[in-house]
Amino acid sequence: MSTYLIGDIHGCYRELRALLTNANFDPKKDTLWLTGDLVARGPNSLKVLRYVKQLGSAVRMVLGNHDLHLLGVYAGISRNKPKDKIDTLLSAPDADELINWLRKQPLLQFDDDLKLLMTHAGITPQWDLETAKMCASEVETMLNSSCYPLFLNSMYGDMPNNWSPELSGLARLRFSTNALTRMRYCFPNGQLDMLCKDKPENAPAPLRPWFELERQIPSEYAIVFGHWASLEGQGTPERFYALDTGCCWGGQLTMLRWEDKQYFTQSSLPAVKQH
């Protein structure tokens, strides 16, 4: 009985299946944690969603920014970008079923026994654990409600970028969504910077990666995240695990077995020629 954690899949279905086969993953007894961004940019978003959905309770996933964007596209709110390669998914006969399943997934996973937390982008240093749970739950409740198109229509934007318990309404939901699914850098006071995407060594002062700032989350908890492929899984402090290694960009799909901290990787596979 093992716990496997995988970085951003981005439609890389063949790599996902190869990785799980290599590790002898058994959905009857093992648990699979996914850092989000199951879809977009890679070739087989539809197959990935179908496969993950049918794994049922063996999966613990979180939503990423590309997953949320897919929800927005399907709701007619966001523009379908050709580079996202989601046309086959959007026109699939089971698209409604898949989209409704996807929007009911959480933005935060936590296991108090394993002392393990997972979100797509990270947890802002301005939050303690209870605040992180509360803010993730608020977004999840909205996505599960009949008002979810209203939220999807208002989630785009970089402000507000500073947490306050007094934040309310759509502004509060937007901050939480950005912190959980888009964040990379913060100012020294913890304010989010939503513009810089460079590697840490190239980031302008005074920006710092969110995981380098003093955190309010208890130190015994490990934080697992994806989203930041240019880190290549390197350079994080102890008990921070960056698992997005850019499979859809020609890199690798990376998986960590939690119990013994063994890594498994699967290189991006060549595209299959269509005859």
Side-chain angles (χ1 to χ4, degrees):
M1 185 173 174
S2 298
T3 307
Y4 293 97
L5 304 104
I6 298 183
D8 302 19
I9 299 169
H10 277 299
C12 295
Y13 174 75
R14 292 188 300 144
E15 292 86 348
L16 171 64
R17 296 302 303 270
L19 193 61
L20 293 174
T21 298
N22 182 36
N24 297 313
F25 169 73
D26 183 350
K28 293 184 177 66
K29 62 180 183 179
D30 299 327
T31 304
L32 185 64
W33 291 52
L34 304 175
T35 65
D37 277 3
L38 273 63
V39 302
R41 306 301 171 93
N44 289 307
S45 293
L46 175 59
K47 286 186 175 181
V48 169
L49 281 194
R50 284 174 172 167
Y51 176 68
V52 173
K53 179 177 179 292
Q54 63 93 20
L55 287 175
S57 60
V59 169
R60 297 183 66 170
M61 63 166 284
V62 294
L63 294 172
N65 55 305
H66 283 275
D67 305 316
L68 291 173
H69 180 68
L70 170 63
L71 297 180
V73 171
Y74 198 74
I77 290 163
S78 307
R79 184 168 59 87
N80 179 15
K81 304 170 186 174
K83 63 183 179 181
D84 283 334
K85 303 177 184 177
I86 54 174
D87 287 350
T88 304
L89 168 55
L90 295 172
S91 60
D94 54 345
D96 272 347
E97 181 183 348
L98 292 169
I99 293 294
N100 282 320
W101 166 80
L102 188 66
R103 73 178 175 90
K104 293 173 182 175
Q105 302 308 307
L107 275 77
L108 172 69
Q109 290 281 1
F110 56 92
D111 189 308
D112 288 332
D113 293 329
L114 296 176
K115 291 292 184 282
L116 185 59
L117 300 168
M118 183 177 72
T119 74
H120 178 61
I123 298 178
T124 169
Q126 294 186 323
W127 284 348
D128 59 21
L129 182 54
E130 292 310 310
T131 303
K133 290 178 179 179
M134 175 181 64
C135 290
S137 178
E138 290 168 355
V139 179
E140 293 158 12
T141 298
M142 178 60 81
L143 283 171
N144 272 279
S145 77
S146 60
C147 299
Y148 76 93
L150 174 67
F151 162 70
L152 293 173
N153 192 42
S154 64
M155 71 176 175
Y156 294 98
D158 297 340
M159 300 300 287
N161 70 340
N162 190 43
W163 168 249
S164 166
E166 281 70 50
L167 280 176
S168 63
L170 293 172
R172 181 182 174 103
L173 293 172
R174 188 184 307 117
F175 176 89
S176 298
T177 303
N178 285 340
L180 293 165
T181 71
R182 293 181 59 213
M183 172 181 66
R184 290 185 179 91
Y185 288 99
C186 293
F187 292 93
N189 65 355
Q191 283 184 317
L192 307 184
D193 173 83
M194 305 307 301
L195 298 177
C196 183
K197 298 182 179 181
D198 288 341
K199 291 184 178 183
E201 58 266 30
N202 298 327
L207 298 183
R208 294 174 63 189
W210 64 269
F211 49 75
E212 288 187 359
L213 296 177
E214 184 177 355
R215 65 176 185 169
Q216 298 187 54
I217 303 293
S219 59
E220 65 264 27
Y221 282 87
I223 300 178
V224 176
F225 63 101
H227 184 57
W228 201 340
S230 64
L231 289 177
E232 299 176 346
Q234 306 296 315
T236 56
E238 187 177 1
R239 302 193 68 73
F240 289 86
Y241 296 85
L243 294 183
D244 181 9
T245 47
C247 187
C248 69
W249 313 111
Q252 297 178 321
L253 193 60
T254 293
M255 179 167 69
L256 171 65
R257 185 164 59 203
W258 186 247
E259 284 72 21
D260 61 1
K261 304 301 186 288
Q262 180 178 346
Y263 283 92
F264 301 82
T265 59
Q266 171 61 51
S267 296
S268 178
L269 296 169
V272 177
K273 293 183 179 179
Q274 302 294 323
H275 297 287

